[in-house]
Amino acid sequence: MRVQRFSEHLAMPWANGKGTSYEIASDRDDEDRWSWRVAIAPVVVDGEFSSLPGVDRELVVIEGNGMVLDVDGKSVECIPSQVVRFSGDSTTFARLVDGPVVDLGLMTTRGSIIGSMVVIADAGDVAESDVIMAVGEAAFEDKNGKHYILGSKDALLDVRGYQLVLLSGTAIAMQVKSL
């Protein structure tokens, strides 16, 4: 397990070229293909989401007042700390509620990987995870008593197999599994 600070996340343009995301982790190969990806994305204006055919998407607003997604004509409210799910195949337009937001997204290739995101706001045991990202500052302890202090948007990577306890703060735990 290792700590990755926000400044170490990989800045990458959105697929539609209308913004920048900060990749925390993925299984990206030498040919720039991935089957799962975790990234932070500032959304500063209303606009279209990138089309990602064959990809299942989950996101949670981690900063700001939220946004409303129009997903194939259906309204999906994205309020802070609530995980929403939608298809990358869908035509998706975001309308900001009251100013810019920052969201954390988990993208998985349908049919090969299944993913899940859980917001952890209460101190206690953390469920089996692969990646954990702090929302604000968060403190963890492993079964050996080692402490991990994360700043806002810092992450713990390669978490699988570690037993962690959230001591304070709020975090988002993500898990990916091959089908």
Side-chain angles (χ1 to χ4, degrees), residues 90-129:
S90 297
T91 300
T92 304
F93 186 89
R95 183 178 49 80
L96 300 171
V97 172
D98 184 22
V101 300
V102 177
D103 69 56
L104 174 68
L106 171 62
M107 293 156 270
T108 55
T109 303
R110 191 173 309 117
S112 65
I113 300 287
I114 188 166
S116 65
M117 302 177 89
V118 177
V119 177
I120 309 163
D122 297 322
D125 291 342
V126 177
E128 181 76 22
S129 306

Side-chain angles (χ1 to χ4, degrees), residues 22-168:
Y22 300 88
E23 186 174 278
I24 296 171
S26 74
D27 67 346
R28 189 177 302 279
D29 65 18
D30 292 339
E31 295 178 17
D32 209 28
R33 295 176 305 204
W34 51 264
S35 60
W36 66 269
R37 179 177 189 259
V38 175
I40 297 168
V43 182
V44 297
V45 296
D46 296 351
E48 290 180 279
F49 268 44
S50 299
S51 175
L52 298 171
V55 173
D56 290 323
R57 299 180 73 159
E58 295 185 37
L59 71 76
V60 61
V61 172
I62 59 172
E63 288 181 6
N65 294 316
M67 62 184 162
V68 176
L69 300 181
D70 179 309
V71 181
D72 288 337
K74 294 185 180 178
S75 183
V76 178
E77 189 175 6
C78 302
I79 61 174
S81 298
Q82 178 181 326
V83 177
V84 297
R85 294 167 179 84
F86 58 102
S87 172
D89 298 293
S90 297
T91 300
T92 304
F93 186 89
R95 183 178 49 80
L96 300 171
V97 172
D98 184 22
V101 300
V102 177
D103 69 56
L104 174 68
L106 171 62
M107 293 156 270
T108 55
T109 303
R110 191 173 309 117
S112 65
I113 300 287
I114 188 166
S116 65
M117 302 177 89
V118 177
V119 177
I120 309 163
D122 297 322
D125 291 342
V126 177
E128 181 76 22
S129 306
D130 294 293
V131 177
I132 298 173
M133 193 213 70
V135 178
E137 189 171 289
F140 296 87
E141 180 178 76
D142 68 18
K143 69 178 180 177
N144 298 319
K146 184 174 179 181
H147 286 88
Y148 301 87
I149 307 298
L150 302 180
S152 179
K153 301 182 207 89
D154 290 347
L156 289 171
L157 304 181
D158 305 318
V159 179
R160 185 171 292 276
Y162 285 86
Q163 295 174 351
L164 292 173
V165 174
L166 176 66
L167 301 174
S168 63

